[in-house]
Amino acid sequence: QVRDTVIEDIGRLAMSDIRREVPRQAVVDGELVEGRVDRNRTIPPAQQSQFLVQQGGDNVLVHAAAGGVGLFLIQMLKRMGARVIGTVSSKEKGEVAKSFGADDIIFYTNQDFASEAKKLTNGKGVDYIIDGVGQDTFNKNLEACSVRGHIVVFGHASGQIDPVSPNLLQSKSITCTGGNLMNYLVSHEELVNRASVLMNDIKSKNIKVQIDHVFPFEQAAQAPILLESRKTTGKIILKVQ
């Protein structure tokens, strides 16, 4: 409606001519509220989670499971009936991921996640891997994946993935795909529909939200420092008065 406040998220460099606007609803301290946080970064990762979870294999490996996208993915996958194996860097993050529904945890800082994933699946490997880490995890994904398994890449937090020969996928008939929020949602209607489903799930407590820290806008420079410390779980919010 005219004069409504909206969140605006526009694709980079005219990647799409669709103006991506949805009614603004913010999540602070685990509660859905109106008008308190501008350009709330909880919603875009949740939409990413929605487009990634198109099918749930019996065993799904989620990298960075205690992060903002990871915690949404755990909950969505469990609702689809999947067994969720999450990779995390610390015991504290493992506890958070478990509290959101993860069935098993792998500590990738001191465990070989491919070997552990195979142990947890009786040597089969996982059916589905969702990876926002990138360079540090991709080659091991090929080991962890089952025959006819799927790998979805949606980010590269550790750096761009090195070039990979398609022949490496043939050894186990692996399917590898990539996704980006800015071009996956192809219409304004699709954006609004997906956002509405998500916000309704949050309102009804079907989806929990983990907010690690809320910074006033004047302290915005502290947000990336905290993020790079790798000590956070869930989302970091900038609060604009």
Side-chain angles (χ1 to χ4, degrees), residues 5-148:
T5 304
V6 298
I7 290 174
E8 184 177 349
D9 207 345
I10 302 175
R12 283 183 262 165
L13 301 177
M15 182 182 295
S16 169
D17 61 356
I18 301 166
R19 193 172 182 83
R20 301 178 181 277
E21 297 179 344
V22 295
R24 182 176 75 174
Q25 295 176 307
V27 182
V28 177
D29 297 330
E31 297 295 330
L32 189 68
V33 297
E34 300 287 344
R36 284 180 56 185
V37 176
D38 199 13
R39 296 190 63 79
N40 170 25
R41 289 305 177 183
T42 298
I43 292 176
Q47 290 170 341
Q48 285 180 323
S49 303
Q50 286 181 313
F51 84 69
L52 290 171
V53 184
Q54 297 299 314
Q55 56 182 345
D58 291 335
N59 298 290
V60 183
L61 179 69
V62 176
H63 285 302
V69 178
L71 294 177
F72 276 108
L73 283 169
I74 289 170
Q75 295 173 83
M76 291 176 177
L77 287 164
K78 291 306 297 179
R79 292 176 67 184
M80 295 170 67
R83 175 193 183 188
V84 180
I85 302 170
T87 68
V88 299
S89 60
S90 67
K91 180 180 178 181
E92 292 73 23
K93 289 188 176 184
E95 291 173 351
V96 171
K98 277 272 194 178
S99 73
F100 275 71
D103 297 285
D104 299 282
I105 296 297
I106 298 173
F107 299 99
Y108 67 83
T109 49
N110 55 27
Q111 293 178 301
D112 182 313
F113 77 80
S115 296
E116 293 300 317
K118 286 184 177 180
K119 289 179 185 177
L120 291 168
T121 56
N122 297 318
K124 174 188 173 184
V126 294
D127 302 291
Y128 198 48
I129 298 175
I130 304 179
D131 187 1
V133 176
Q135 187 179 72
D136 290 350
T137 52
F138 188 80
N139 287 339
K140 283 289 184 180
N141 286 344
L142 299 175
E143 296 181 32
C145 206
S146 67
V147 173
R148 297 177 65 182

Side-chain angles (χ1 to χ4, degrees), residues 154-168:
F154 73 97
H156 43 83
S158 66
Q160 294 282 348
I161 297 170
D162 295 329
V164 175
S165 169
N167 299 117
L168 293 176

